[in-house]
Amino acid sequence: MTGFALVAFGTSAKWLELLKEIAPGVKRVAVLRDTSPAGIGSFAAIQAVAPSLGIETSPIGDQHPDEIERTITAFARSSNGGLIVVPNATTIVNRKLIISLAAKLHLPAVYGYRLFVTNGGLIWYGPDIVDQCRRAAGYADRILKGEQPGNLPVQEPTKFELVVNVKTADALGLTVPVPLIGRADEVIE
């Protein structure tokens, strides 16, 4: 398994676990993702963990905004649903639509970008970007001092962050478990 696949597997699996923790009644999860290797890998990782949590998964392609709205709305017609939004360019461009749909349709959602939660989404878990930049600066320094980039090992993220939006949880009728609050790097109230 490649380094990317390991990170994708671990992070994607964690998204599902966090969704189940914050919304224990979730039995079905729609995964909004693209058809890139990253999107397919994330969905595969979520599918692998889903049976152990008693969850059925459904992929949703992230095409045109009208299609996103139609497919998420159709998914939300049945009860006990949740949403995972895999990070990619299309989901970030359509973040306001996705966040508003999750709120309007009462879908608890885990997002692949912190920006979603600071704009009203429920929960985010992902690599600490500041830590990654610090580590990249170290690599840049080594390259500037003469090391060949091809000789440097690929570095996977080692530090992850969890952000929970309690205001959004309240609006969805969810009580955020105290242990989850305790693990959060940031709680938005």
Side-chain angles (χ1 to χ4, degrees):
M1 194 177 276
T2 67
F4 171 77
L6 288 171
V7 171
F9 184 86
T11 304
S12 301
K14 187 68 173 177
W15 292 333
L16 190 60
E17 292 168 3
L18 288 167
L19 184 57
K20 187 69 172 178
E21 185 175 357
I22 200 165
V26 167
K27 304 280 186 227
R28 304 173 314 103
V29 173
V31 180
L32 183 61
R33 51 94 175 142
D34 63 8
T35 56
S36 71
I40 292 168
S42 291
F43 183 69
I46 291 165
Q47 276 187 303
V49 174
S52 67
L53 297 172
I55 295 176
E56 294 177 23
T57 57
S58 302
I60 295 179
D62 64 355
Q63 313 86 8
H64 189 272
D66 292 339
E67 187 70 14
I68 291 171
E69 184 168 5
R70 186 186 65 72
T71 55
I72 291 176
T73 301
F75 174 82
R77 287 190 185 117
S78 296
S79 62
N80 301 323
L83 181 65
I84 293 175
V85 181
V86 175
N88 64 56
T90 304
T91 57
I92 196 123
V93 167
N94 292 295
R95 70 186 175 279
K96 289 180 182 176
L97 170 65
I98 296 165
I99 293 166
S100 69
L101 281 171
K104 180 176 95 175
L105 301 169
H106 296 282
L107 286 174
V110 177
Y111 299 94
Y113 287 117
R114 177 188 191 103
L115 179 62
F116 280 78
V117 178
T118 59
N119 282 279
L122 178 60
I123 192 167
W124 170 72
Y125 176 78
D128 180 330
I129 301 301
V130 173
D131 182 61
Q132 287 184 301
C133 290
R134 229 181 256 121
R135 292 170 68 206
Y139 264 35
D141 181 58
R142 289 170 67 180
I143 292 167
L144 291 172
K145 289 179 179 173
E147 280 193 60
Q148 294 299 313
N151 295 338
L152 298 173
V154 174
Q155 289 191 359
E156 297 177 26
T158 57
K159 187 175 177 188
F160 293 83
E161 292 184 311
L162 173 63
V163 179
V164 179
N165 190 323
V166 174
K167 182 179 176 182
T168 300
D170 289 343
L172 292 171
L174 300 171
T175 301
V176 181
V178 173
L180 185 60
I181 294 286
R183 291 192 322 268
D185 296 285
E186 182 180 348
V187 176
I188 298 170
E189 303 210 32

